[in-house]
Amino acid sequence: MTGRPLIMTVVGARPQFVKAAPVSRALARAGLSEILVHTGQHYDWEMSQAFFEGLSLPAPAVNLEVGSGPHGQQTGRMLSLLESTILERQPQFVLVYGDTNSTLAGALAAAKLYVPVMHVEAGLRSFNRKMPEEVNRVVTDHLAAVNFAPTQLAVSNLQQEGITENVFLVGDVMLDLARETEASLEDRKSSVLGPLGLTPSGYVVATIHRPENTDDPSRWKAILESVRGVAEEVAPVVWPIHPRVRHQLPSDLPATIKLVPPAPYLEMQTLVRFASAVITDSGGLQKEAAFRQTPCVTLRPETEWRELVECGLNVLVEPDRTFVVQAVRAAKWPGGDLPPHLYGNGHAADAISQIIDRRHADARRDP
Ligand code: UD1
């Protein structure tokens, strides 16, 4: 790509690759030029490259290779490198996704250079400022020139903080990808479940990676005991292990807990689609479970996806063996499709691209 791109998309962590994929395709369809900048926050093949390949995401124009580190250090390194990259490439807009340190760094670097920031998945709130993501979201929403909200609740959250201009309720881009890939999951069923010895509806998928859960020794112990309880009393558990917890797992877990490496998008979606329940602390997976009509048990005291709890598709449970076993046993999809008012119609990416196109046209008319 030569010349000045219209959009610089900043990504860095696994969930952002998933969100960027449908939007990148929509931008390309609309003929809007985009370059991807990868901060390098996630760098293991399974956490990064596997997603670019599996989702046919264009290769990043630049990889800043910041790697891991304490939050301030990691975000600071990104900020400094993103500033130079924005100055060099001169995009008209910077597009950021979600709530990771890469999101915050992208938004801050752009805003300081007066480049308008556009935030996809804006307005989410857990109201827990101890979550690093909550801090990242709040700051990013306030810096953004345009906020793309996935839900009505997200729009209301923004309104309550005085953000009312250039807020667009577009639906959830993760639903776009879920719809696009739904038909292919049936074909993958036997190749994904077979080697793990799993049968449809005969297992549970678990993912745990939040520092609030993994870095507090007594909470982590209770989580391990809860997963063990499910595996011993309810059904086998398949658990794709985030690298953050790789070295924290005891060696005496039962064989009915099947530890596997982080799964690429389509494999993970297949596991979720055919599971009897999902146990997670991930934000994205709470929604993906709902998109695949699989009930979800969330090991957190609160969630930014409150509408799922209100509709009875997700329950919040303290990590206690008895409670978690009970919740997984009771978990049941209530029947019917995901209510369409929750996350839109599966065309959020096209809506985003049209709005960007309009703003681009306005900026050309009235520079
Ligand atoms: C980040 C996001 C979180 C998101 C998650 C998705 C922030 C604050 N958090 O959390 O919102 O849900 O990504 O996975 O941005 N590591 C590796 N290889 C990698 C990446 C990480 O080994 O490719 C290990 C390192 O030990 C690292 C730790 O995981 O220190 C945490 O990685 P980091 O990117 O800081 O945060 P995540 O927990 O992945």
Side-chain angles (χ1 to χ4, degrees):
M1 168 86 46
T2 52
R4 191 181 171 201
L6 178 66
I7 300 145
M8 178 185 285
T9 295
V10 177
V11 289
R14 183 170 59 174
Q16 289 159 339
F17 311 141
V18 173
K19 290 164 199 165
V23 179
S24 272
R25 277 198 276 280
L27 294 174
R29 276 196 298 276
L32 303 177
S33 67
E34 179 195 30
I35 59 165
L36 278 170
V37 175
H38 190 326
T39 63
Q41 177 172 352
H42 284 173
Y43 44 87
D44 286 358
W45 189 88
E46 292 95 342
M47 299 292 285
S48 176
Q49 188 73 12
F51 284 79
F52 278 81
E53 290 177 15
L55 298 171
S56 307
L57 197 56
V62 183
N63 190 325
L64 304 175
E65 297 182 352
V66 297
S68 301
H71 286 266
Q73 206 180 87
Q74 185 186 51
T75 313
R77 275 204 301 265
M78 290 176 191
L79 186 58
S80 155
L81 292 165
L82 281 168
E83 184 174 65
S84 317
T85 312
I86 294 170
L87 285 170
E88 190 188 321
R89 302 284 179 143
Q90 296 282 313
Q92 200 162 322
F93 305 114
V94 165
L95 188 60
V96 295
Y97 290 87
D99 53 21
T100 73
N101 290 342
S102 298
T103 315
L104 174 65
L108 195 49
K112 292 273 186 185
L113 293 169
Y114 311 119
V115 178
V117 177
M118 299 183 165
H119 185 203
V120 177
E121 209 180 73
L124 276 289
R125 294 292 181 269
S126 67
F127 301 102
N128 175 1
R129 289 277 172 110
K130 289 203 169 137
M131 283 179 78
E133 293 81 5
E134 183 76 354
V135 175
N136 294 342
R137 289 177 196 128
V138 170
V139 176
T140 303
D141 288 340
H142 281 263
L143 292 175
V146 175
N147 279 301
F148 295 115
T151 62
Q152 185 54 55
L153 181 59
V155 173
S156 311
N157 288 336
L158 291 171
Q159 273 167 353
Q160 295 212 336
E161 292 174 24
I163 305 175
T164 52
E165 302 229 330
N166 297 315
V167 173
F168 299 93
L169 176 59
V170 290
D172 197 305
V173 294
M174 288 175 70
L175 180 61
D176 295 20
L177 194 58
R179 290 270 159 84
E180 219 179 277
T181 52
E182 179 66 26
S184 72
L185 304 186
E186 189 66 39
D187 300 339
R188 292 176 172 263
K189 183 166 65 177
S190 50
S191 65
V192 174
L193 271 53
L196 293 165
L198 304 171
T199 51
S201 306
Y203 66 94
V204 170
V205 183
T207 76
I208 314 287
H209 76 279
R210 291 204 175 276
E212 307 88 278
N213 278 334
T214 62
D215 297 1
D216 171 343
S218 69
R219 201 167 164 92
W220 178 237
K221 194 163 161 241
I223 286 174
L224 287 172
E225 194 46 39
S226 303
V227 176
R228 187 192 288 272
V230 172
E232 286 171 354
E233 298 178 44
V234 188
V237 176
V238 57
W239 184 354
I241 295 293
H242 186 286
R244 150 194 288 292
V245 297
R246 232 171 349 218
H247 307 295
Q248 285 180 226
L249 293 161
S251 53
D252 65 342
L253 290 174
T256 43
I257 300 181
K258 295 165 193 294
L259 303 177
V260 295
Y265 178 78
L266 287 172
E267 275 166 40
M268 189 64 191
Q269 296 303 306
T270 307
L271 286 173
V272 170
R273 164 78 177 75
F274 296 105
S276 60
V278 166
I279 301 175
T280 194
D281 64 357
S282 151
L285 209 60
Q286 294 173 48
K287 279 184 298 172
E288 286 173 334
F291 299 159
R292 305 303 179 188
Q293 304 196 351
T294 302
C296 186
V297 172
T298 298
L299 302 186
R300 281 178 50 193
E302 77 283 300
T303 177
E304 43 292 331
W305 303 106
R306 250 172 38 213
E307 54 284 324
L308 292 174
V309 177
E310 283 157 13
C311 290
L313 309 177
N314 185 10
V315 284
L316 305 179
V317 181
E318 268 305 292
D320 167 279
R321 177 171 172 140
T322 309
F323 294 164
V324 174
V325 165
Q326 265 172 10
V328 173
R329 273 217 180 99
K332 200 168 170 307
W333 184 261
D337 289 337
L338 181 72
H341 68 273
L342 291 187
Y343 298 110
N345 58 9
H347 297 289
D350 281 320
I352 288 171
S353 143
Q354 281 160 16
I355 292 162
I356 295 178
D357 200 12
R358 271 210 307 274
R359 286 192 72 94
H360 173 46
D362 289 349
R364 261 196 316 213
R365 239 195 338 266
D366 187 15

